[in-house]
Amino acid sequence: MKITILCVGKIKEKFYRDAIAEYSKRLSRYCKLDIIEVADEKTPENASDTVENQIRKKEAKEGAYVFALAIDGREFDSVELSKKIENLGTSGISQIIFLIGGSLGMSENLLKRADFKLSFSKMTFPHQLMRVILLEQVYRSYRIMNGEPYHK
């Protein structure tokens, strides 16, 4: 399975970069991980077009499933997310794309294009921290799928 995280902005803080590097390394034994950063634009229209263009490029690949991280999306616990990822893989999906919006959020068109809107909480998190949280949960999902121990 290929996991792509399409996100806005670069990570400046070393502690976030270190955490992302650690989870990326851990995930490398389970999947191919690709993190694509698009520019954090100043206006919503430009940010949306930039992200949408990146998605259009990814859409050309058959078998991709797109999760948009959104406050109003469906909440899963870790086991449910693991089962969702596993079921996508067994149903022939070869790539999962997770979209993380910037401080301005995502355009309605992009949210409508997504196959699934996923919420991690009703709270708002900085997009840099959300990247770490997402990677940790994807890693946890693979540990659960493989029946490997992982702290609760």
Side-chain angles (χ1 to χ4, degrees), residues 10-72:
K10 298 220 178 274
I11 301 292
K12 296 177 183 118
E13 297 85 355
K14 183 181 181 326
F15 58 93
Y16 285 140
R17 287 195 316 268
D18 289 347
I20 290 165
E22 178 62 28
Y23 283 112
S24 296
K25 182 178 85 174
R26 291 181 186 191
L27 276 166
S28 68
R29 72 181 271 225
Y30 300 106
C31 64
K32 181 179 181 336
L33 178 66
D34 191 17
I35 299 175
I36 300 170
E37 296 174 333
V38 296
D40 193 2
E41 302 290 339
K42 299 295 182 211
T43 61
E45 294 81 20
N46 289 341
S48 299
D49 289 345
T50 302
V51 173
E52 286 177 19
N53 286 334
Q54 287 288 333
I55 287 297
R56 285 187 194 103
K57 288 178 188 174
K58 292 293 178 186
E59 283 177 3
K61 296 184 178 185
E62 291 293 318
Y65 189 91
V66 178
F67 284 92
L69 275 58
I71 288 176
D72 64 342

Side-chain angles (χ1 to χ4, degrees), residues 73-91:
R74 182 162 169 217
E75 290 185 21
F76 280 156
D77 64 27
S78 296
V79 173
E80 290 171 318
L81 180 60
S82 175
K83 287 180 182 172
K84 179 78 172 175
I85 292 171
E86 184 174 32
N87 289 340
L88 289 170
T90 58
S91 68

